[in-house]
Amino acid sequence: MSNFVPLETLDRRSLIRTIALGLTALGTLDVEAAQHVHTETAAEKAKGPYKVKTFTPAEYKTLQRLAVLIVPPDSVSGSALDAGAPEFIDTLASQNQQIADIFHGGLAWLDAEMRKRYSSTFVAAKPEQQTQMLDALVEAGRELAERQNEELVYQKSPIYKDFTGYTVRRANELGAGVAFFDWVRKMTVDAFYTSPIGFKDLNYIGNRALSRYVVPAEAMDYAMKRSPFA
Amino acid sequence: MEPMPQNTSSQEVYDAVVVGSGAGGGTAVHVLTAKGLKVALLEAGPMLDVATEFKEHKVPTDYDHRGAEEGGKSYFGQGKPFGFFSTTSGGWQLEGEPYTVGEGSQFQWFRSRILGGRTNHYGRMSFRFAEYDFKPYDKDGLGFNWPISYQDIAPYYDKAEEFIGVAGTRENVPSCPDGKFHAAPPPKVHEMLVKKACDKLGIICIANRRAVITKNLNGRAACHYCGQCGRGCQTASAYSSAQVQVFPAMKTGKLKVFDLAMVREVLTDNNGKATGVLYIDKKTRTEKIIKAKVVVLAASACESTRILLNSKSKEFPNGLANGSGMLGRYLMDTVGFGLSGTVPALEGMPHYNTDGYGGAHLFMPWWLWDKHNKLDFPRGYHIEIGGGYGMPSVGGYHGAARRFGYGANMKSKIRESYGTSIGFAGRGEMIPNIHSYCELDPNVVDKWGIPVLKFHFKWTDYEWKQARHMEKTFADIITTMGGKVSGLSASQRESQGISIPGTIIHEVGGARMGKSAKDSILNGYCQTHEMKNLFVMDGASFASNPDKNPTLTINALAWRACDYLAEEMKKGNV
Ligand SMILES: Cc1cc2nc3c(=O)[nH]c(=O)nc-3n(C[C@H](O)[C@H](O)[C@H](O)COP(=O)(O)OP(=O)(O)OC[C@H]3O[C@@H](n4cnc5c(N)ncnc54)[C@H](O)[C@@H]3O)c2cc1C
Ligand code: SF4
């Protein structure tokens, strides 16, 4: 199966090749060279401002605001906006009409709902109005999920075998918004955690090149002390 | 499409033609060329370029799609199996090369189409079968004995381990014999907790055994613990047949590799001998022929079976070497079941690099081999461990995001729960049964015009009960660690309490070995009973499917078969 051409410079590719060759020939490892590859990547990404491909300026602003609301900055790390979530969504939407439709439609729904509630677009609304809206969507999403689980049980249970009443789903007036928010949230979260900022937030420190693998005693002691085996 | 022209111009006769370049084919070309034979290797996939194909040092931001794939395919369930970064080179479905499944059955078939086959990305779990595994019928009256014993294959386990390199420790556990090991990396923190729990529960927990080298070997560098073997290993520290066997064999000048060569059938003469193979050259859509004194099929268990079934002629109306009618029969997979939980002792732990050598550093071999009279199922299983601070990836946090809503709270909850869960996967032995087999689908051909396989499969109570034992055991381990089971709900358990057949990707059998031509296809040397110069050197030969992952045994059996083949050739017997 062929993948599309990866976005990498020749430099980076040859760097990796150098590591591989170096390893095979010498059998020892240049840890620094390997680390360099990772730093390279980050630097490569830091070039030039992003050109929006799919969304209108208004839509894009909404995505940017949503990114900050979904993953806000805190003392540990930056926001999903810093991590490039809107770029990520815009890029995939530019490659896939289905995603573009979901977001065009969903963003329009969001502004329409905001106008009904607060006579304002999402972006122009007060921060507490924005979070009220998102809270309502989260709440409605939970209700919907719960009811789906109930239905599953009712359908499965032999007691209700001939009873079809519960399979009729009551429509939730926020249904469309719930589906949209699920999309925005999952793509925003993905963009955040897969970025260098997200790696740092979770403190992921793997995928290195080590000459020896050691487990720090500090970590081992920490867990053992808190375990039933203390 | 146009009818396929035939081109039989290449009249060179090789000593052997090997079909497929995975674990079986890789071993065959390595051993046969080392003995000085002139070998042709036919591979249905393209050549492998490790520099472009293997992604063990890539991170999501190296790609604008971060691993969600072009157009966000993974959001629609259309991404690569095991994720974008994995070097699967294929998957559960291949475009234009379908298979079908009989009514009432479920089966999924995982295929890779590239030099090296599935060994480029497989899990590298490498366990020897136990002595008792070769005589299962003698133990409990179920299934079939192998025509060989542990003593027959032990020297070849030695050779295979020494050559491909397997890290592990010597433990003297009868269910999982020791081998020639490289030093194993130390256990991670969550694994030590598992081990403590297992000690309490009387479960054996020892260093894992994986085909990864931890010291340099034959020009291959020791593992550098980047933890991503499933993406391919550019330094060949993890075994892949392409890097470790095929490339070196090419350097001997004795091997010619034909890539994008899809073998349709084995050709025979009137004297009961195979004369070569007919293949479709995918580059030109032409039929071509390779002539050889010996034909070795190693296209993976089901694919080799398919080639034999498709090698029909007047003399062999049911396929080649199939006088017994056993071709395709007693197909097996491994019984799989998984459960996960969260472990409070890991919350707030100072983070460290848990990637290690790319898989768990500990595992649990079957520990109740002498207690089957107290169990309600006949065969054993081993347990694999998952956990640690894995590389963040697309899709990894959807569930958590839904649970925690959004905003500062969600962000800190995800941070706190990162790396605090633990997972267990049981890998158990099934009993071969008559409902599990493959045959040719009379109505479907692939895009090369080759009739495709139709699968039939059933788990029985033996497997179901074993899975229930796994479930209870995993829950016990999790709670003994002070953790909470987060696995399956009652309603899920009904439908998902056992793996879908095929999905553990240990499909073996189909051309099983046995003592007699009446009820088996191969003898103990992977040679067909009916045709002396025709061999099958992949998992098709398995008479049973012990809980040990099959690849190391495929390597060892192929090596042994090649020694025998070369010897017989010298004697003029094949
Ligand atoms: C995700 C994953 C994890 C796994 N983990 C483990 C593990 O930890 N331990 C373990 O022991 N096993 C594991 N396995 C299974 C392991 O990959 C297989 O047992 C092993 O690769 C089988 O080797 P093989 O040579 O029979 O076939 P393959 O590796 O499948 O190679 C067969 C080759 O033949 C080629 N071919 C097929 N048909 C034709 C044809 N008609 N003509 C020409 N060429 C053809 C294919 O393109 C392929 O390259 C795993 C598999 C997967 C997918
Ligand atoms: S962990 Fe070791 S064996 Fe696995 S890909 Fe990295 S270097 Fe190779």
Side-chain angles (χ1 to χ4, degrees):
Chain A
M1 222 155 76
S2 70
N3 303 309
F4 53 96
V5 182
L7 290 159
E8 56 177 21
T9 61
L10 249 185
D11 280 48
R12 175 156 156 64
R13 190 178 288 165
S14 54
L15 240 175
I16 290 187
R17 198 171 284 150
T18 316
I19 297 179
L21 288 178
L23 271 167
T24 327
L26 308 172
T28 52
L29 186 69
D30 189 345
V31 178
E32 289 206 348
Q35 290 307 330
H36 187 57
V37 176
H38 296 275
T39 338
E40 272 288 285
T41 312
E44 218 176 275
K45 288 275 132 186
K47 54 187 172 201
Y50 180 77
K51 281 200 201 74
V52 184
K53 303 183 199 66
T54 313
F55 297 109
T56 65
E59 285 175 325
Y60 201 68
K61 273 209 187 97
T62 314
L63 284 178
Q64 288 178 316
R65 179 66 189 142
L66 282 165
V68 177
L69 287 168
I70 291 170
V71 186
D74 61 13
S75 59
V76 177
S77 67
S79 71
L81 176 62
D82 303 325
E87 282 102 312
F88 172 67
I89 295 171
D90 181 65
T91 302
L92 294 193
S94 76
Q95 297 165 349
N96 184 340
Q97 192 56 40
Q98 213 177 335
I99 293 181
D101 289 345
I102 288 167
F103 279 83
H104 287 310
L107 290 165
W109 180 93
L110 185 63
D111 273 348
E113 185 65 24
M114 290 297 287
R115 280 195 206 95
K116 264 190 242 163
R117 290 183 180 225
Y118 310 109
S119 313
S120 162
T121 62
F122 186 79
V123 169
K126 292 194 189 108
E128 57 276 20
Q129 293 172 332
Q130 293 171 334
T131 49
Q132 272 166 20
M133 182 73 249
L134 297 192
D135 289 342
L137 289 174
V138 167
E139 196 43 46
R142 288 204 175 114
E143 259 174 41
L144 275 172
E146 258 167 44
R147 200 154 61 241
Q148 266 166 19
N149 283 339
E150 268 171 36
E151 280 166 16
L152 204 77
V153 173
Y154 285 135
Q155 281 166 3
K156 285 220 162 205
S157 165
I159 310 171
Y160 295 98
K161 204 169 68 198
D162 304 315
F163 183 65
T164 51
Y166 283 98
T167 58
V168 180
R169 266 195 218 169
R170 263 175 300 146
N172 184 313
E173 55 169 26
L174 293 179
V178 169
F180 167 62
F181 185 61
D182 200 53
W183 272 98
V184 177
R185 180 172 53 189
K186 72 185 175 197
M187 290 185 75
T188 300
V189 160
D190 282 344
F192 178 75
Y193 288 108
T194 57
S195 71
I197 299 173
F199 275 33
K200 189 178 148 253
D201 180 88
L202 293 178
N203 194 15
Y204 169 68
I205 42 181
N207 194 224
R208 312 244 161 145
L210 312 171
S211 47
R212 212 161 67 87
Y213 181 78
V214 253
V215 175
E218 178 200 18
M220 192 67 88
D221 293 347
Y222 178 97
M224 283 302 157
K225 268 198 202 112
R226 285 161 181 79
S227 78
F229 317 114
Chain B
M1 280 186 222
E2 295 185 15
M4 223 174 276
Q6 207 180 55
N7 175 352
T8 51
S9 59
S10 162
Q11 291 308 340
E12 179 163 13
V13 180
Y14 292 88
D15 291 324
V17 57
V18 175
V19 180
S21 63
T27 306
V29 300
H30 161 236
V31 178
L32 294 177
T33 54
K35 288 183 184 296
L37 270 62
K38 241 173 107 33
V39 181
L41 172 63
L42 274 63
E43 166 53 51
M47 280 303 284
L48 168 71
D49 176 1
V50 299
T52 54
E53 205 69 31
F54 290 0
K55 303 191 182 69
E56 79 270 33
H57 282 288
K58 300 281 187 190
V59 291
T61 39
D62 289 346
Y63 302 88
D64 275 357
H65 60 64
R66 306 280 181 95
E69 301 187 40
E70 177 90 353
K73 276 194 204 133
S74 76
Y75 290 114
F76 301 93
Q78 292 155 6
K80 287 170 65 175
F82 311 114
F84 167 73
F85 290 94
S86 174
T87 314
T88 42
S89 312
W92 302 111
Q93 296 296 336
L94 298 178
E95 208 194 311
E97 298 185 19
Y99 56 89
T100 61
V101 179
E103 220 183 283
S105 279
Q106 273 186 309
F107 191 82
Q108 292 187 26
W109 188 19
F110 196 103
R111 291 167 291 173
S112 295
R113 285 277 183 274
I114 193 160
L115 194 82
R118 294 175 290 185
T119 66
N120 289 319
H121 71 274
Y122 83 124
R124 275 86 175 188
M125 307 284 278
S126 304
F127 309 123
R128 291 182 175 210
F129 289 7
E131 287 199 27
Y132 65 71
D133 286 327
F134 290 93
K135 306 291 166 199
Y137 180 82
D138 292 351
K139 199 170 178 224
D140 55 26
L142 297 168
F144 313 98
N145 286 340
W146 292 59
I148 57 171
S149 66
Y150 180 78
Q151 282 66 34
D152 293 324
I153 194 179
Y156 291 94
Y157 275 138
D158 288 353
K159 282 178 199 263
E161 283 160 347
E162 280 174 341
F163 187 74
I164 71 179
V166 176
T169 50
R170 299 182 65 83
E171 301 285 350
N172 214 5
V173 176
S175 65
C176 204
D178 293 331
K180 305 268 178 184
F181 296 132
H182 281 221
K188 304 169 202 173
V189 176
H190 59 278
E191 294 168 344
M192 271 316 279
L193 291 174
V194 171
K195 184 169 169 52
K196 296 263 180 196
C198 286
D199 288 348
K200 267 201 176 164
L201 296 166
I203 298 169
I204 299 171
C205 181
I206 56 177
N208 202 351
R209 296 169 179 181
R210 294 183 67 244
V212 168
I213 54 175
T214 55
K215 58 176 195 284
N216 303 336
L217 177 69
N218 300 333
R220 295 159 61 199
C223 172
H224 59 266
Y225 308 103
C226 75
Q228 306 292 343
C229 318
R231 302 173 173 199
C233 179
Q234 296 197 355
T235 54
S237 317
Y239 163 70
S240 92
S241 58
Q243 294 161 289
V244 175
Q245 293 165 324
V246 180
F247 292 157
M250 283 164 81
K251 287 203 187 117
T252 64
K254 294 280 173 191
L255 178 68
K256 179 141 174 61
V257 179
F258 297 81
D259 70 339
L260 296 167
M262 179 82 186
V263 170
R264 187 178 76 198
E265 59 184 276
V266 177
L267 301 171
T268 55
D269 62 13
N270 296 326
N271 308 318
K273 277 198 139 191
T275 55
V277 295
L278 186 152
Y279 72 97
I280 315 297
D281 179 357
K282 290 185 176 179
K283 289 172 245 184
T284 56
R285 271 190 80 80
T286 46
E287 285 184 4
K288 290 186 179 165
I289 283 170
I290 296 275
K291 293 190 172 172
K293 295 178 191 152
V294 176
V295 173
V296 174
L297 299 182
S300 81
C302 298
E303 202 69 66
S304 290
T305 302
R306 178 186 177 202
I307 293 170
L308 289 176
L309 284 166
N310 272 322
S311 304
K312 277 192 250 186
S313 61
K314 242 189 241 131
E315 298 129 283
F316 307 109
N318 302 319
L320 213 51
N322 193 22
S324 63
M326 295 305 290
L327 204 51
R329 301 277 141 180
Y330 299 112
L331 184 64
M332 295 163 274
D333 188 26
T334 291
V335 180
F337 177 79
L339 201 67
S340 57
T342 51
V343 184
L346 297 171
E347 284 167 17
M349 182 166 75
H351 288 196
Y352 66 102
N353 179 349
T354 59
D355 278 352
Y357 80 157
H361 290 187
L362 298 181
F363 90 112
M364 291 81 106
W366 180 233
W367 66 102
L368 299 171
W369 65 86
D370 54 355
K371 307 255 171 9
H372 278 283
N373 52 348
K374 294 194 186 111
L375 301 169
D376 64 351
F377 59 96
R379 302 279 171 83
Y381 60 89
H382 77 260
I383 309 172
E384 301 179 3
I385 308 169
Y389 306 104
M391 183 187 287
S393 63
V394 160
Y397 308 93
H398 295 178
R402 275 183 203 124
R403 208 166 325 127
F404 302 126
Y406 71 98
N409 174 55
M410 177 197 80
K411 193 182 180 189
S412 62
K413 284 277 173 36
I414 289 179
R415 192 184 297 140
E416 285 159 20
S417 57
Y418 176 58
T420 62
S421 43
I422 186 101
F424 296 96
R427 296 288 178 256
E429 176 172 2
M430 79 176 277
I431 307 287
N433 68 60
I434 52 164
H435 307 291
S436 302
Y437 63 98
C438 58
E439 59 182 351
L440 291 181
D441 189 318
N443 304 316
V444 185
V445 295
D446 66 13
K447 70 172 167 188
W448 313 109
I450 308 173
V452 308
L453 286 179
K454 180 172 193 168
F455 291 97
H456 306 265
F457 209 98
K458 274 209 171 65
W459 295 130
T460 69
D461 247 19
Y462 296 133
E463 289 80 38
W464 180 260
K465 285 183 174 150
Q466 185 191 55
R468 300 286 66 75
H469 192 271
M470 293 178 185
E471 183 170 15
K472 181 175 180 311
T473 303
F474 302 167
D476 283 350
I477 299 174
I478 292 169
T479 43
T480 307
M481 292 168 76
K484 230 178 82 190
V485 177
S486 51
L488 299 173
S489 70
S491 66
Q492 276 177 318
R493 211 176 297 134
E494 256 174 63
S495 57
Q496 297 174 8
I498 191 164
S499 55
I500 292 170
T503 57
I504 306 302
I505 324 182
H506 294 162
E507 77 290 350
V508 294
R512 74 181 161 104
M513 54 166 73
K515 282 218 161 88
S516 156
K518 283 201 204 95
D519 63 2
S520 62
I521 308 294
L522 307 173
N523 65 19
Y525 293 103
C526 303
Q527 181 183 34
T528 61
H529 289 298
E530 294 172 23
M531 209 162 259
K532 292 262 171 272
N533 67 338
L534 176 59
F535 291 75
V536 182
M537 298 194 191
D538 53 34
S541 69
F542 284 29
S544 71
N545 192 11
D547 70 80
K548 291 84 186 179
N549 316 37
T551 309
L552 180 68
T553 300
I554 294 175
N555 294 130
L557 286 173
W559 200 313
R560 181 168 182 266
C562 289
D563 269 6
Y564 169 82
L565 184 167
E567 220 28 60
E568 288 292 284
M569 246 180 149
K570 246 192 245 158
K571 291 186 201 152
N573 291 343
V574 301

